[in-house]
Amino acid sequence: MASRATLDSPVKQIQIEGLVVLKMIKHYQEEGQGTEVVQGVLLGLVVEDRLEITNCFPFPQHTEDDADFDEVQYQMEMMRSLRHVNIDHLHVGWYQSTYYGSFVSRALLDSQFSYQHAIEESVVLIYDPIKTAQGSLSLKAYRLTPKLMEICKEKDFSAEGLKKAMIGFEHMFEEVPIVIKNSHLINVLMWELEEKSTVADKHELLNLSSSNHLEKSLQLLMDRVDDMSQDIVKYNTYSRNLSKQQQQKHQYTQRRQQENAQRQTRGEPPLPEEDISKMFKPPQPPPRMDTLLIAGQINNYCQNVKEFTSQNLGKLFLAEALQGHNS
Amino acid sequence: MSRFFATGSDSESEESSSADEITPKAPGTTFTKQSLLLSDDEEDTKRVVRSAKDKRFEELTNLIKTIRNAMKIRDMSKCLEEFEQLCRAFLKSKTIVDKEGVPPFYIRILADLEDYLNQLWEDKEGKKKMNKNNAKALSTLRQKIRKYNRDYETEIASYKENPMASADEEEEKDEVESGSSSDSDDEPADAKSFLKKKSATEAPPPNASKFLKGAADEESSSSDGDNEDWDSDTSESDSGSEDETGRSTSMAVNFLKKTSSEGDRHTSEKKKEERKKRHKRKERIEEEAEEEAQEEGEGEWEKVKGGVPLVKEKLKMFAKGTEINTTVVVKKLNEILQARGKKGTDRAAQIELLHALANISNENNLGEGILVKIKFNIIASLYDYNPNLAAFMKADMWKKCLDCIDELLDILFNNDKIFIGENIAEDSENLASDSQEYRVRGCILTLVERMDEEFTKIMQNTDPHSQEYVDNLKDEGRVCGIIDRLMAYLEMETKGSTEEVCRVYLRRIMHTYYKFDYKAHRRALGLQGETKSEQDAEESEGEDSAFIMDRLCKYIYAKDRTDRIRTCAILCHIYHHALHSRWYQARDLMLMSHLQDNIQHADPPVQILYNRTMVQLGICAFRQGMIKDAHNALLDIQSSGRAKELLGQGLLMRNMQERNAEQEKIEKRRQVPFHMHINLELLECVYLVSAMLLEIPYMAAHEFDARRRMISKQFHHQLRVGERQPLLGPPESMREHVVAASKAMKMGDWRTCHSFIINEKMNSKVWDLFPETQCVREMLVRKIQEESLRTYLFTYSSVYDSISMETLKEMFELELPTVHSIISKMIINEELMASLDQPTQTVVMHRTEPTSLQNMALQLAEKLGGLVENNERVFDLKQGVYGGYFNRDQKGGYQQKQGGYNRDQRGSYQQKQGGYNRDGQRGGYQQKQGGYNRDGGGYQRQGGYNRDGGGYQQRQGGYNRDGNRGGGGGYQGQNRGGYQGGGGYQGGGGYQGGGGGGYRGGYKGGYQNQDRRDY
């Protein structure tokens, strides 16, 4: 419990056991497919300014049949059982798989918020199986920025609220660097295995076909852009309505003032003040959080595409050079 | 319980009242009954042919009687119902009433009813006891009668003043009426009528007293009603019983007649006929009475039935000694006909009578004229047999009808001296004289038309899958035969007007157009290699249906003056052409007739015919390999999803809100008989297959086009349904086959596609239904090959640098020239960016079509453009809000007028805008920008506005954009390209301009322009 005291300085680094990574990958391979995501709970400890994630366990896949499945109950049971076998039982976050990097969603925000609200150091690990299949393990840890935490706490998602908090899509999530640490014994084993493995196993990294991945990403990106457009149009109508109403309000008050002035000159009592806000009900402002999330998601996609293309370009140059060399 | 009680009292009171009042009357009644037993003839002879007035009045009195009965048992709802009927009946007899004045008995019932109702109304307790229905009916009836009686106030008042007198009057008038009409009948009646008159004068007083009583006492009033009937019906016999001398004379007369009847068959026959009518009446009365006086009445009435054996009746019709001549027969005929349409007339018996009459006239050699006349009437009454329009004829009736018409036509053919026509007046008829030409009123054409309709009705109402239907269908030959004969008859000079000829021609056409002429088909195919005898048989068979259709239709086109017949004829003609695969004739006729433009104004049956024709036309086009035409013709019918209904081949299940029972009946009557149906599955299959042949290559060609339109919604729907299937098994239904074939075609796999479209299942379901199955299949295979080739090229051209036509030829099993022509066509139509390399026979791809990734990027760019526009607008609005009165719409309007491509103007405009905006936040900024603007350097702000303008242009109509894409692409490219100078986010716009507009506009436009010049 000593670590609790150091919580004021937030976690700067995350150290993951190889076991956790393997478990996550296995979980996805066994249960996840296509757009379906898998989720699970991370267990570990906070040591100084780093979060050590030492173990995890998966959530069972949701099906329609067992709607009455109690997740909390399940988690508690699991953690208690793990404690019995002397495994770290402190809840430090959760993990989720993703499909082409599409994870910035309302659901993720909400659950991460509730995690972070309860356990301040918790993070969400995003595992991208598709990128991993292409040869490079893609694992990222995210947590909400303090600003976003504030907003979520207040539940003020209006445009003004967001503006006041000075929050943009870039400042919603912060990534925490990850280090994967294995025991020495495992490292030794790895070295040994490296020696034995054939060359072909490593060549996935050099795969040149890119269009499929890019197409998928573009498709997703386009969908998001469409959503964004819709949101903007919505906001547009809202603000137009608002301004129209403001004009009306303005006119109304002016007319009232004129009339009152006339009445005063005639010596009549002024008209009673009416509640203007009742007469002009302001239109419901559209919540901006979704737009923000979409923007975040778009940003994410863009990053992905950028990353992917730069890698691919490199590969292409490599291939070209090789070809030139051969001929 | 109360009902039974009431009935009991009713019959009792009947007796008692008659017993009480005048003693002589009581034996009278019993005597009547006896006399009924002994010799019914007695009263029958006194029966007279009743005039229209009598008929109407009788109807009224009957209704009044039931009202009185209902009043008696306090059945208010019944009362109300009957009263309404009475009002209606009275309205019907308006003409007579106008002539004769309001009948007193009518006034009487009105007055009585009102009194009665008032009385009931006052009786609060009684009202309480009434059930809800009755109470409601009472109040409605009371209101109604009040309102109604207002019209007859004076009459009612006078009646109330002097009920007796009015009743008296009525009776008298009745008697006089019947007496005078009986005068004309036969001589002995004269004496009787005199007697009757005498008795009639005697009779009223008791009646009147009864009325007085009736007003007070409901029970007796109802019996009064009964008695009224008696009076009018049997007053003759009553009078006989009352007046001894009168009776004896009448008896004597009866006796005389009876003896004579044995001598002369015809006389008695006539009598019997009368008698029968009488008997019928009795029966009816009995029926009515039955409700009230079951036990008592039945026994007595039963005897009547037994006493009049039906078999004997036929034998007598004319009085003995009567010379059977034309006039007598005509009179008789008229008598019989008078009963027609009356409520109580037994229609079957009437038909029998008419037949008998025909036989008589035949036996007496009265000539053809009268026979024709009788035949006409027989057929008419056969049609009348069913009172309901929806009901159809019974089989035996139908046979009889056909026989009759055949006979009639025989007569007409054998005797060309007979003139018939509907406009020959009854008086100018000449039925008798042999020397002159016969003139008979009547229209054979109408009868035949009616017969045809009856036939349709019979077919509509028979279960199409039963043997019965087949049996009925066999009559079609006879119907056609009759129509043919009638046609021949009317075609004879002076027999039929052109209008009539047109009508009968149309009938003939209607029976021809939907039949496939196999003989002509065989002949056309040149299958004459068979045996000589068969050939002879074929030749003797007469002309082809095509020639017949041609001849008849052309006559109608030339001579018809009603639009409807011509329209029908044209449609049938087209249908017939289409059915026999004469596509061009059919299509030309359809286009020349301009029916498509105004068919929606036609009546539903014609519209159904039109739909049938269009469908047939589409199927014909399909057989001929005109896939596009087939698709277009079938599109309207198929896209609605109501093909069944539109073709009149069945009703769709719909809720009653859309259609009430009445409409449903009407729609049912419009249905096309089963043997004329067009196979709906065939229709749908033809449609789907043609849609597939059109849509799949189109889809492949426009895979990435965001604005792609569907050719056939229905087909897409089927595809989606197919996709939604969780597990795809081998196709079962026709639709699944087509969907599976479409999928194969999408991949350019024509063999699989072929095997899905043409296989055992599909053959038996669809293709074998065509007359030229083999040709159609061959055509289909070829089409599938061609379209698969096109699809293949569209889909996979991006992966080829070049492809040898030789390979394509082998892949799709097409001849080289065909492959060549298909590819050339695609190149010309700019569907395929390639060129043909003649020496090597290869297609060299230009590889200018963007790859899917590029396409995607283009789409994304477009979307981003939209996004940016929207975003800018938000920003503008902000500015507007802060700027106060600055109105966006104004600006928009101004910019629209500007047209958007005048750069300089826009710049200046913006400066002006800056002026407007001086107090706005961004106003100052903009002014500064204005300075830059002149240099043409920093477009940033202006770019923003310009974008806005672009937005407007877009909104102004995608038309502008589309239009520009081809020719004016330069504009867009230029315009957008101009931004590229701008920095920052404007770079995005620049990208769009350069990449999107520039690429597309520049490339396509240029290419197209060039091409146009070349070709």
Side-chain angles (χ1 to χ4, degrees), chain A residues 1-126:
Chain A
M1 282 288 120
S3 57
R4 284 270 161 199
T6 59
L7 273 186
D8 298 334
S9 61
V11 173
K12 294 235 168 61
Q13 198 187 35
I14 293 170
Q15 181 181 311
I16 308 175
E17 283 283 327
L19 170 75
V20 174
V21 179
L22 289 177
K23 266 182 130 176
M24 281 194 299
I25 293 172
K26 187 158 170 272
H27 182 200
Y28 175 80
Q29 265 175 356
E30 278 168 2
E31 293 196 30
Q33 34 171 270
T35 49
E36 249 171 74
V37 294
V38 295
Q39 291 174 329
V41 174
L42 299 174
L43 301 172
L45 274 176
V46 177
V47 180
E48 286 163 12
D49 63 347
R50 70 173 191 272
L51 176 68
E52 289 182 3
I53 301 171
T54 53
N55 213 329
C56 67
F57 61 87
F59 279 144
Q61 207 71 357
H62 279 294
T63 48
E64 267 95 52
D65 319 331
D66 49 12
D68 53 343
F69 175 75
D70 190 354
E71 269 184 26
V72 180
Q73 185 72 21
Y74 167 78
Q75 281 184 36
M76 300 313 280
E77 289 277 323
M78 275 305 275
M79 288 199 294
R80 205 173 302 135
S81 309
L82 288 171
R83 191 181 183 176
H84 287 312
V85 291
N86 215 9
I87 288 172
D88 281 333
H89 58 272
L90 288 178
H91 205 164
V92 294
W94 56 300
Y95 69 87
Q96 191 195 5
S97 71
T98 173
Y99 178 72
Y100 287 104
S102 57
F103 60 87
V104 188
S105 66
R106 194 62 190 253
L108 182 114
L109 178 78
D110 286 347
S111 50
Q112 178 60 18
F113 169 72
S114 59
Y115 268 103
Q116 233 167 304
H117 194 62
I119 310 156
E120 206 179 326
E121 67 269 16
S122 38
V123 291
V124 54
L125 271 184
I126 303 289

Side-chain angles (χ1 to χ4, degrees), chain A residues 235-279:
Chain A
Y235 185 72
N236 220 344
T237 29
Y238 156 72
S239 32
R240 202 174 307 158
N241 287 344
L242 193 69
S243 74
K244 212 181 276 170
Q245 206 176 49
Q246 231 135 24
Q247 257 181 23
Q248 280 174 349
K249 221 184 213 159
H250 188 71
Q251 279 175 0
Y252 178 78
T253 42
Q254 271 194 337
R255 219 182 304 138
R256 199 28 88 79
Q257 270 172 2
Q258 275 179 0
E259 215 170 86
N260 274 349
Q262 278 181 356
R263 275 168 171 265
Q264 234 167 8
T265 53
R266 274 179 286 172
E268 289 168 37
L271 288 171
E273 282 294 313
E274 282 165 44
D275 194 3
I276 291 179
S277 62
K278 229 179 224 170
M279 288 176 65

Side-chain angles (χ1 to χ4, degrees), chain B residues 379-393:
Chain B
I379 297 164
S381 52
L382 277 169
Y383 292 145
D384 273 349
Y385 187 71
N386 273 321
N388 192 346
L389 199 57
F392 61 100
M393 269 187 171

Side-chain angles (χ1 to χ4, degrees), chain B residues 236-455:
Chain B
E236 296 96 321
S237 56
D238 274 6
S239 67
S241 65
E242 273 166 48
D243 193 315
E244 277 300 319
T245 49
R247 199 189 75 79
S248 64
T249 43
S250 71
M251 272 301 271
V253 172
N254 285 334
F255 218 72
L256 272 171
K257 243 191 250 162
K258 226 194 160 185
T259 43
S260 66
S261 72
E262 271 154 76
D264 193 322
R265 226 178 39 172
H266 296 303
T267 337
S268 58
E269 201 159 8
K270 178 195 161 186
K271 261 193 254 163
K272 280 289 170 188
E273 183 267 320
E274 289 280 22
R275 197 13 221 280
K276 201 174 157 199
K277 247 193 228 167
R278 180 81 201 163
H279 169 64
K280 263 181 267 152
R281 263 187 71 73
K282 283 269 162 3
E283 266 181 340
R284 188 157 49 84
I285 291 163
E286 180 193 13
E287 268 166 37
E288 278 161 11
E290 223 164 18
E291 266 182 54
E292 286 127 38
Q294 265 175 342
E295 302 101 59
E296 221 177 315
E298 215 161 356
E300 281 171 334
W301 293 121
E302 203 70 69
K303 284 177 201 159
V304 178
K305 256 188 202 164
V308 190
L310 283 164
V311 204
K312 253 201 272 169
E313 262 178 63
K314 256 193 197 163
L315 307 173
K316 312 162 191 172
M317 198 175 263
F318 292 104
K320 188 206 170 185
T322 322
E323 195 198 341
I324 307 289
N325 58 23
T326 324
T327 25
V328 174
V329 173
V330 169
K331 203 185 265 171
K332 194 74 233 158
L333 182 67
N334 282 335
E335 264 172 43
I336 296 170
L337 290 180
Q338 225 111 60
R340 192 178 152 190
K342 257 185 220 165
K343 215 174 162 196
T345 327
D346 182 356
R347 287 177 292 264
Q350 214 182 3
I351 292 163
E352 285 299 308
L353 283 174
L354 286 168
H355 269 297
L357 199 61
N359 284 339
I360 291 164
S361 64
N362 230 1
E363 278 166 32
N364 288 287
N365 287 327
L366 288 181
E368 314 268 57
I370 192 76
L371 201 58
V372 168
K373 176 113 180 124
I374 293 170
K375 286 272 182 216
F376 266 130
N377 284 311
I378 290 176
I379 297 164
S381 52
L382 277 169
Y383 292 145
D384 273 349
Y385 187 71
N386 273 321
N388 192 346
L389 199 57
F392 61 100
M393 269 187 171
K394 300 254 168 12
D396 52 335
M397 283 289 175
W398 169 242
K399 290 267 181 300
K400 229 184 261 173
C401 177
L402 285 181
D403 290 339
C404 265
I405 292 177
D406 254 342
E407 281 166 33
L408 184 58
L409 280 169
D410 279 337
I411 298 169
L412 289 178
F413 268 109
N414 292 336
N415 199 332
D416 54 340
K417 278 202 296 186
I418 300 175
F419 272 102
I420 52 170
E422 38 188 343
N423 29 21
I424 295 172
E426 203 103 26
D427 329 328
S428 65
E429 276 186 331
N430 183 3
L431 306 171
S433 61
D434 282 326
S435 54
Q436 282 175 315
E437 287 165 328
Y438 292 113
R439 293 174 70 83
V440 183
R441 179 185 167 83
C443 180
I444 176 89
L445 178 60
T446 323
L447 291 179
V448 172
E449 278 180 338
R450 181 72 199 268
M451 172 203 73
D452 197 27
E453 275 154 25
E454 286 294 337
F455 178 67

Side-chain angles (χ1 to χ4, degrees), chain A residues 288-299:
Chain A
R288 299 295 293 157
M289 200 57 206
D290 290 327
T291 322
L292 213 58
L293 282 169
I294 292 169
Q297 182 64 64
I298 289 176
N299 187 35

Side-chain angles (χ1 to χ4, degrees), chain B residues 705-817:
Chain B
D705 195 343
R707 268 186 286 272
R708 162 167 70 105
R709 270 187 287 275
M710 288 186 256
I711 292 176
S712 159
K713 263 197 186 138
Q714 198 75 7
F715 178 67
H716 275 274
H717 175 72
Q718 291 304 338
L719 282 188
R720 272 199 300 277
V721 168
E723 273 165 22
R724 244 179 281 151
Q725 228 83 68
L727 185 69
L728 264 185
E732 289 284 336
S733 70
M734 177 272 297
R735 287 177 195 164
E736 284 168 357
H737 270 102
V738 176
V739 170
S742 308
K743 275 185 188 149
M745 194 182 214
K746 243 187 222 167
M747 313 302 293
D749 181 358
W750 76 270
R751 276 192 186 82
T752 322
C753 179
H754 172 206
S755 68
F756 277 131
I757 291 288
I758 297 170
N759 53 31
E760 281 295 305
K761 248 185 215 163
M762 289 291 270
N763 275 350
S764 63
K765 260 185 198 155
V766 180
W767 306 125
D768 286 346
L769 298 174
F770 285 131
E772 305 139 311
T773 321
Q774 204 46 46
C775 300
V776 173
R777 276 198 285 254
E778 275 162 23
M779 179 279 295
L780 254 182
V781 175
R782 198 174 168 73
K783 284 280 168 199
I784 288 173
Q785 285 169 338
E786 287 174 10
E787 296 304 324
S788 298
L789 169 62
R790 274 160 56 81
T791 314
Y792 183 82
L793 284 175
F794 282 133
T795 316
Y796 298 110
S797 66
S798 58
V799 299
Y800 281 106
D801 263 334
S802 64
I803 184 167
S804 144
M805 282 203 280
E806 204 58 46
T807 325
L808 286 175
K809 177 192 119 182
E810 272 161 34
M811 275 173 75
F812 293 95
E813 290 183 11
L814 286 163
E815 303 87 52
L816 199 59

